[in-house]
Amino acid sequence: MKKWLTSTALVLTLALPVAAQDYTPDPAAKAGGSITVTYKDDVATLDPAIGYDWQNWSMIKSLFDGLMDYVPGTTVLRPGLAESYEISPDGLVYTFKLRAGVKFHNGREMTAEDVKYSLGRVTDPATQSPGAGFFGSIAGFDKAGPDGLSGVEVVDPLTVKITLSRPDATFLHVMALNFASVVPKEAVDEAGADFGKKPVGTGAYKLAEWTLGQRLVFEKNADYWRPGVPFLDNVVFEVGQEPVVALLRLQNGEVDVPGDGIPPAKFQEVMGDPAQAAHVVIGGQLQTGYITLNVKTPPFDKVEVRKAVNMAINKDRIVQIINGRAVVANQPLPPSMPGYTKDYAGYAYDVEGAKKLLVDAGLADGFETDLYVMNTDPNPRIAQAIQQDLAAIGIKANIQSLAQANVIEAGGAGTAPMVWSGGMAWIADFPDPSNFYGPILGCAGAGDGGWNWSKFCDEGLDAKATEADSMADPAKAEDRLKLWSDVYMGVMEQAPWVPVFNEERYTMKSERMGGEDALYVDPVSIPVNYDYVWVKQ
């Protein structure tokens, strides 16, 4: 989908015509109409520098754009607000040429100054962006503040140059994150702390109405820079809708997409009814559900014990608990992620082999520990299955079923010997193997409050990870993925996790919805890519 033009000149250049990387919508697509999407909870914010949950992620993507984007329904990068870019041979300087004539929702044309402002804003500690760390490779990040980033330079109104402090093979993915969205300074200044309720971007839709606790209405941006999209005139998000009620309304033709998905209690009923199942779209997610084993807490400081736990868990049974809505996992990366090791079998379910490992660890009589779990269904039931599997090899696991915030706090503080990650499991921020390592398995995430709840830190693997992310030359892409595979195989050899399953996404849509199925299980625009779906008139 993308082609690199390389030469002995001073730069590597990607400057393809837009059409060469673009996406061809369904030729049957019709413009016009409105759809209704439901959610149980209200939206916290639509500020791209702040919003960081699965519910507002695709909404923000439809309101804002970044320099880079993804081909709809895929994990393939394509230019966004940048029509082309150049990378220096050392991988440290990215020069983006911006599209001319792109307008913000307030009517002003976007320029390179807006890019500089937006990157400075998201990295300014005063913004308190949960995504600031993604921009750590930009020069001047360590001194980020109200004056912006020294590594971001406006060359001319349509050219911005970004200098990195180190090569970063993930940088173009970072430029496609919501956090890298371009916003107008005057709109942020005017709204102040309310910018998340009064968003202004360059996206396919603009916010027309937000009645807190009731609904949000997005209306088509008639000045959108991508020709032909969006197709819909409006997207109405109704909040405060219980998932079971949303399903009934879908069946009655009142709802087009129940945003919270199929209620677990109704899953078998829906999938067992051909008429309802025909409206279900299934797709893989960049997600892994896992059990963390705190390597700093005895006896999980012994690798034999950690391997024994891996071998004790009946993953197939756990998948059955969630109605088969997942595939068994054998490594941290999900199968759809680049760098996944296809020929790796993982730890087999082997109760007797697990018992032998405990004997080898000097724990023939087993031991007692605590398993932390979020207290919403089906997680307590999964924890009970884990508890039973561990009991079979002599481990007594006391279940600590707590609110999500309390589980996260215990995991971050290192006081939880074991954590079932359900409801908090990692979904990739962008489709690159590095995103599954640093925050949740790397040394940087193992500190107090971090998301590395196993407190696993291997400096050798960290060095390999750094090396992999320094391989910015696209000609070394395969070598880089092989190195990442080696990193994750090194993780599994030390077994700080029990990878359990990779969830699959089940999205329902009304019979009037059009657009290819991939748009309804878009791996980047979770849960739906609203820019390209349409309604049958």
Side-chain angles (χ1 to χ4, degrees):
M1 188 61 73
K2 59 183 178 186
K3 179 180 179 182
W4 283 88
L5 311 175
T6 60
S7 71
T8 56
L10 292 178
V11 292
L12 294 170
T13 305
L14 178 64
L16 298 180
V18 173
Q21 290 201 37
D22 222 330
Y23 171 81
T24 303
D26 187 334
K30 300 175 181 178
S34 175
I35 65 170
T36 299
V37 182
T38 61
Y39 284 106
K40 181 178 183 293
D41 298 322
D42 204 350
V43 178
T45 180
L46 291 173
D47 184 341
I50 305 297
Y52 198 21
D53 62 59
W54 68 272
Q55 181 177 334
N56 64 18
W57 197 255
S58 61
M59 294 182 185
I60 289 172
K61 280 200 171 297
S62 286
L63 294 172
F64 297 90
D65 298 302
L67 295 177
M68 299 297 294
D69 186 18
Y70 293 95
V71 175
T74 78
T75 58
V76 178
L77 276 167
R78 67 171 177 173
L81 295 176
E83 66 178 11
S84 64
Y85 58 86
E86 299 174 345
I87 308 176
S88 62
D90 61 5
L92 292 177
V93 181
Y94 288 69
T95 304
F96 294 92
K97 187 67 176 178
L98 305 183
R99 299 178 191 273
V102 174
K103 292 182 180 180
F104 287 112
H105 298 154
N106 63 9
R108 180 174 68 76
E109 288 197 6
M110 178 208 67
T111 71
E113 288 287 353
D114 298 304
V115 177
K116 179 177 176 62
Y117 165 75
S118 300
L119 295 178
R121 174 177 181 256
V122 74
T123 53
D124 184 348
T127 304
Q128 297 184 338
S129 171
F134 288 114
F135 303 90
S137 63
I138 299 179
F141 175 80
D142 56 336
K143 297 179 180 178
D147 295 330
L149 293 167
S150 61
V152 182
E153 177 186 346
V154 173
V155 177
D156 61 49
L158 291 178
T159 309
V160 63
K161 182 168 71 175
I162 302 177
T163 301
L164 308 185
S165 57
R166 54 180 168 80
D168 181 1
T170 72
F171 185 65
L172 291 177
H173 283 292
V174 171
M175 290 295 99
L177 284 172
N178 284 0
F179 299 116
S181 297
V182 180
V183 300
K185 183 178 186 300
E186 69 274 16
V188 175
D189 288 345
E190 181 180 350
D194 287 336
F195 184 69
K197 295 288 191 293
K198 301 175 181 178
V200 177
T202 61
Y205 294 94
K206 53 187 176 181
L207 180 65
E209 175 192 334
W210 188 344
T211 304
L212 295 180
Q214 296 183 35
R215 71 178 200 161
L216 299 87
V217 179
F218 286 9
E219 70 177 18
K220 180 177 184 175
N221 176 10
D223 292 326
Y224 191 47
W225 55 271
R226 285 196 189 276
V229 290
F231 297 108
L232 300 171
D233 290 332
N234 300 101
V235 181
V236 179
F237 299 96
E238 295 187 0
V239 300
Q241 294 281 311
E242 289 293 335
V244 172
V245 175
L247 176 62
L248 289 172
R249 294 185 63 205
L250 174 76
Q251 295 165 347
N252 292 334
E254 302 169 9
V255 165
D256 296 295
V257 177
D260 293 306
I262 306 170
K266 293 288 186 178
F267 183 78
Q268 292 183 340
E269 174 189 317
V270 168
M271 299 307 293
D273 177 1
Q276 294 189 71
H279 299 298
V280 176
V281 181
I282 305 172
Q285 292 194 92
L286 300 175
Q287 184 269 4
T288 301
Y290 51 91
I291 305 165
T292 59
L293 309 175
N294 190 330
V295 302
K296 303 296 184 184
T297 301
F300 295 118
D301 56 342
K302 296 183 177 183
V303 70
E304 297 89 353
V305 174
R306 302 196 296 270
K307 289 183 177 180
V309 173
N310 267 271
M311 295 166 66
I313 305 302
N314 185 341
K315 300 176 183 179
D316 288 306
R317 181 166 68 127
I318 293 175
V319 169
Q320 291 173 8
I321 291 173
I322 60 170
N323 297 310
R325 291 201 273 187
V327 296
V328 167
N330 59 23
Q331 57 192 288
L333 289 183
S336 52
M337 179 69 82
Y340 177 83
T341 308
K342 295 180 180 179
D343 57 355
Y344 177 68
Y347 293 95
Y349 174 50
D350 183 353
V351 174
E352 294 307 314
K355 288 179 179 177
K356 183 180 183 303
L357 282 174
L358 288 185
V359 171
D360 294 344
L363 294 163
D365 296 328
F367 59 92
E368 186 171 348
T369 189
D370 290 327
L371 171 63
Y372 284 67
V373 60
M374 193 172 82
N375 60 5
T376 56
D377 189 67
N379 297 302
R381 289 189 287 129
I382 292 174
Q384 290 169 3
I386 295 170
Q387 183 186 51
Q388 292 167 10
D389 288 342
L390 294 178
I393 65 169
I395 299 175
K396 180 182 179 182
N398 303 306
I399 295 175
Q400 305 296 328
S401 183
L402 305 170
Q404 182 184 59
N406 298 113
V407 178
I408 293 173
E409 181 181 10
T415 56
M418 303 177 70
V419 179
W420 162 244
S421 68
M424 306 165 291
W426 200 253
I427 299 178
D429 298 287
F430 52 84
D432 187 90
S434 68
N435 190 237
F436 257 78
Y437 182 80
I440 49 179
L441 283 164
C443 295
D448 288 346
W451 281 80
N452 182 348
W453 298 336
S454 65
K455 302 305 174 183
F456 173 73
C457 173
D458 184 302
E459 293 183 357
L461 292 179
D462 259 30
K464 282 187 176 181
T466 299
E467 180 185 352
D469 277 351
S470 296
M471 298 169 70
D473 184 348
K476 297 181 179 179
E478 290 302 316
D479 292 339
R480 177 175 178 269
L481 292 181
K482 174 59 171 65
L483 187 53
W484 268 119
S485 173
D486 293 344
V487 169
Y488 287 109
M489 292 301 95
V491 169
M492 289 308 298
E493 180 59 32
Q494 297 185 61
W497 275 18
V498 182
V500 177
F501 59 57
N502 306 114
E503 283 188 10
E504 295 190 303
R505 208 153 85 238
Y506 288 70
T507 300
M508 291 193 75
K509 60 177 181 175
S510 70
E511 61 183 12
R512 73 192 196 104
M513 293 301 300
E516 61 181 335
D517 284 353
L519 298 174
Y520 294 89
V521 286
D522 192 304
V524 177
S525 295
I526 300 170
V528 177
N529 190 319
Y530 300 113
D531 296 8
Y532 288 86
V533 299
W534 51 282
V535 293
K536 303 167 186 174
Q537 302 287 325

